Amino acid sequence: MRLPTRIFLTQRPMDDYAAPDMRHGDLSEAELKDRYPWARTLRWRNLTDTFAQSRMWRWVDALKPDKLGPAEQRQADARVLFEQFHTLSKPYAWVGPYRALMDLMIDHMQANTGRPFCHSLLDRALAEHESMESSMEEIGKALAKNIDWEHGYYPAAKGKLLTKAVLGSYLPKFDNWLNRVDGLGIAVHDTAATAITLQSLDIQGDRFSAEVHYRIQDHFGLDDTDIAHPLYGNLPLFQIWYLLQRWEGYDYRPFITEMSATKHIEGMRSES
């Protein structure tokens, strides 16, 4: 088998800008009020800044599209909402080396470029996360079992067995208990697409060593399912996020979050 070669790709594609959670600026004031009860009222008891509360709803609940002020005023109101976005995300990102990621990603959304977000902290988080172990273990088992040990190579005809091994594993995601407070659970949590590539394979006697590259993407955006969730959809944090992204008056673009890691796998000839 020629290397490097991709051994796994999720059904959901990479760079999927057509995904539901990548929509932005597609809902009017009337649509928001029709779909979501929280968009019809000023009663947001959990907002810490009543000034921010009233400023936000002035644009959704009080004014009609033909009465909107200048773009500069909307931008000023959005800045207040982004301040609230930062503040309300703190309980989900207050411990550990990755707690700064959520602030960085909120700032990236506020810049409104729509460009992918990459950061060394994300790559480090992926490389060190316990959820990497499952797929790595299964890939190692498949290599040990299917290498042609007599001739010292991996047969191309058995490439699909590596894919099958990954399918039987738990793909990387940030959903353990620590991730609920270290920033990774809210900044990334689950992932949208995963590509795994076997970069190199060295076979010496009855032992092998391999380099496996993971490229993973997530979407920093909310879709209708997210905001309809009975818990998250009722939290001001997610309502602000949804409003900034989806209301036509703000139209802040979601973006793709990308992370990568290369992992080393070692093993020996399988006895099975």
Side-chain angles (χ1 to χ4, degrees), residues 2 14 28 45 75 85 97 118 134 231 271:
R2 292 185 178 181
M14 289 284 181
S28 67
R45 290 172 295 179
Q75 291 171 0
F85 200 173
C118 307
S134 176
L231 173 60
E271 304 242 347

PDB file of all heavy atoms in Angstrom, residues 2 14 28 45 75 85 97 118 134 231 271:
ATOM      1  N   ARG A   2       0.589   2.145  -0.936  1.00  0.00           N
ATOM      2  CA  ARG A   2       1.361   3.376  -1.014  1.00  0.00           C
ATOM      3  C   ARG A   2       0.965   4.337   0.094  1.00  0.00           C
ATOM      4  O   ARG A   2      -0.212   4.498   0.409  1.00  0.00           O
ATOM      5  CB  ARG A   2       1.140   4.039  -2.375  1.00  0.00           C
ATOM      6  CG  ARG A   2       1.739   3.261  -3.546  1.00  0.00           C
ATOM      7  CD  ARG A   2       1.585   4.055  -4.828  1.00  0.00           C
ATOM      8  NE  ARG A   2       2.183   3.359  -5.958  1.00  0.00           N
ATOM      9  CZ  ARG A   2       2.212   3.839  -7.204  1.00  0.00           C
ATOM     10  NH1 ARG A   2       1.648   5.024  -7.454  1.00  0.00           N
ATOM     11  NH2 ARG A   2       2.786   3.155  -8.164  1.00  0.00           N
ATOM     12  N   MET A  14     -15.778  17.442   4.640  1.00  0.00           N
ATOM     13  CA  MET A  14     -14.955  18.547   5.105  1.00  0.00           C
ATOM     14  C   MET A  14     -15.409  19.836   4.411  1.00  0.00           C
ATOM     15  O   MET A  14     -16.003  19.803   3.329  1.00  0.00           O
ATOM     16  CB  MET A  14     -13.482  18.286   4.780  1.00  0.00           C
ATOM     17  CG  MET A  14     -12.835  17.188   5.607  1.00  0.00           C
ATOM     18  SD  MET A  14     -12.481  17.769   7.275  1.00  0.00           S
ATOM     19  CE  MET A  14     -11.726  16.306   7.985  1.00  0.00           C
ATOM     20  N   SER A  28     -35.778  36.778   9.801  1.00  0.00           N
ATOM     21  CA  SER A  28     -36.269  38.121  10.077  1.00  0.00           C
ATOM     22  C   SER A  28     -36.762  38.203  11.522  1.00  0.00           C
ATOM     23  O   SER A  28     -36.880  37.194  12.228  1.00  0.00           O
ATOM     24  CB  SER A  28     -37.420  38.462   9.130  1.00  0.00           C
ATOM     25  OG  SER A  28     -38.547  37.634   9.411  1.00  0.00           O
ATOM     26  N   ARG A  45     -34.243  36.791  32.758  1.00  0.00           N
ATOM     27  CA  ARG A  45     -33.862  36.979  34.153  1.00  0.00           C
ATOM     28  C   ARG A  45     -32.384  36.703  34.400  1.00  0.00           C
ATOM     29  O   ARG A  45     -31.810  37.217  35.351  1.00  0.00           O
ATOM     30  CB  ARG A  45     -34.703  36.069  35.043  1.00  0.00           C
ATOM     31  CG  ARG A  45     -36.161  36.495  35.138  1.00  0.00           C
ATOM     32  CD  ARG A  45     -36.983  35.461  35.860  1.00  0.00           C
ATOM     33  NE  ARG A  45     -37.037  34.201  35.106  1.00  0.00           N
ATOM     34  CZ  ARG A  45     -37.680  33.131  35.525  1.00  0.00           C
ATOM     35  NH1 ARG A  45     -38.294  33.146  36.695  1.00  0.00           N
ATOM     36  NH2 ARG A  45     -37.711  32.045  34.800  1.00  0.00           N
ATOM     37  N   GLN A  75     -24.228  47.958  15.103  1.00  0.00           N
ATOM     38  CA  GLN A  75     -22.920  47.433  15.478  1.00  0.00           C
ATOM     39  C   GLN A  75     -22.627  47.693  16.951  1.00  0.00           C
ATOM     40  O   GLN A  75     -22.039  46.855  17.644  1.00  0.00           O
ATOM     41  CB  GLN A  75     -21.838  48.062  14.597  1.00  0.00           C
ATOM     42  CG  GLN A  75     -21.904  47.613  13.148  1.00  0.00           C
ATOM     43  CD  GLN A  75     -20.970  48.402  12.247  1.00  0.00           C
ATOM     44  OE1 GLN A  75     -20.256  49.301  12.703  1.00  0.00           O
ATOM     45  NE2 GLN A  75     -20.964  48.075  10.958  1.00  0.00           N
ATOM     46  N   PHE A  85     -21.885  37.640  25.560  1.00  0.00           N
ATOM     47  CA  PHE A  85     -21.465  36.329  25.066  1.00  0.00           C
ATOM     48  C   PHE A  85     -20.213  35.879  25.818  1.00  0.00           C
ATOM     49  O   PHE A  85     -20.132  34.737  26.324  1.00  0.00           O
ATOM     50  CB  PHE A  85     -21.199  36.445  23.564  1.00  0.00           C
ATOM     51  CG  PHE A  85     -21.211  35.143  22.806  1.00  0.00           C
ATOM     52  CD1 PHE A  85     -21.126  35.154  21.412  1.00  0.00           C
ATOM     53  CD2 PHE A  85     -21.292  33.914  23.441  1.00  0.00           C
ATOM     54  CE1 PHE A  85     -21.128  33.973  20.684  1.00  0.00           C
ATOM     55  CE2 PHE A  85     -21.293  32.720  22.720  1.00  0.00           C
ATOM     56  CZ  PHE A  85     -21.200  32.763  21.339  1.00  0.00           C
ATOM     57  N   PRO A  97      -5.695  24.671  30.629  1.00  0.00           N
ATOM     58  CA  PRO A  97      -4.935  25.448  29.639  1.00  0.00           C
ATOM     59  C   PRO A  97      -5.742  25.885  28.420  1.00  0.00           C
ATOM     60  O   PRO A  97      -5.254  26.698  27.637  1.00  0.00           O
ATOM     61  CB  PRO A  97      -3.825  24.486  29.224  1.00  0.00           C
ATOM     62  CG  PRO A  97      -4.419  23.114  29.426  1.00  0.00           C
ATOM     63  CD  PRO A  97      -5.292  23.250  30.640  1.00  0.00           C
ATOM     64  N   CYS A 118      -8.067  28.290  13.279  1.00  0.00           N
ATOM     65  CA  CYS A 118      -7.055  27.308  13.667  1.00  0.00           C
ATOM     66  C   CYS A 118      -6.237  27.895  14.818  1.00  0.00           C
ATOM     67  O   CYS A 118      -6.004  29.108  14.859  1.00  0.00           O
ATOM     68  CB  CYS A 118      -6.119  26.978  12.506  1.00  0.00           C
ATOM     69  SG  CYS A 118      -6.935  26.459  10.984  1.00  0.00           S
ATOM     70  N   SER A 134      -9.214   5.442  21.457  1.00  0.00           N
ATOM     71  CA  SER A 134     -10.049   4.387  20.895  1.00  0.00           C
ATOM     72  C   SER A 134      -9.683   4.073  19.453  1.00  0.00           C
ATOM     73  O   SER A 134      -9.408   2.915  19.100  1.00  0.00           O
ATOM     74  CB  SER A 134     -11.528   4.786  20.986  1.00  0.00           C
ATOM     75  OG  SER A 134     -12.347   3.820  20.359  1.00  0.00           O
ATOM     76  N   LEU A 231     -32.827  22.273  27.061  1.00  0.00           N
ATOM     77  CA  LEU A 231     -31.938  22.921  28.033  1.00  0.00           C
ATOM     78  C   LEU A 231     -31.204  24.099  27.406  1.00  0.00           C
ATOM     79  O   LEU A 231     -31.374  25.253  27.817  1.00  0.00           O
ATOM     80  CB  LEU A 231     -30.929  21.919  28.589  1.00  0.00           C
ATOM     81  CG  LEU A 231     -29.831  22.523  29.493  1.00  0.00           C
ATOM     82  CD1 LEU A 231     -30.450  23.211  30.708  1.00  0.00           C
ATOM     83  CD2 LEU A 231     -28.849  21.438  29.922  1.00  0.00           C
ATOM     84  N   GLU A 271      -0.843 -12.450  17.251  1.00  0.00           N
ATOM     85  CA  GLU A 271      -0.804 -13.899  17.362  1.00  0.00           C
ATOM     86  C   GLU A 271      -2.062 -14.552  16.858  1.00  0.00           C
ATOM     87  O   GLU A 271      -2.146 -15.762  16.740  1.00  0.00           O
ATOM     88  CB  GLU A 271      -0.607 -14.286  18.852  1.00  0.00           C
ATOM     89  CG  GLU A 271       0.621 -13.643  19.436  1.00  0.00           C
ATOM     90  CD  GLU A 271       1.627 -14.644  19.889  1.00  0.00           C
ATOM     91  OE1 GLU A 271       1.265 -15.811  19.970  1.00  0.00           O
ATOM     92  OE2 GLU A 271       2.769 -14.247  20.109  1.00  0.00           O
TER      93      GLU A 271
END
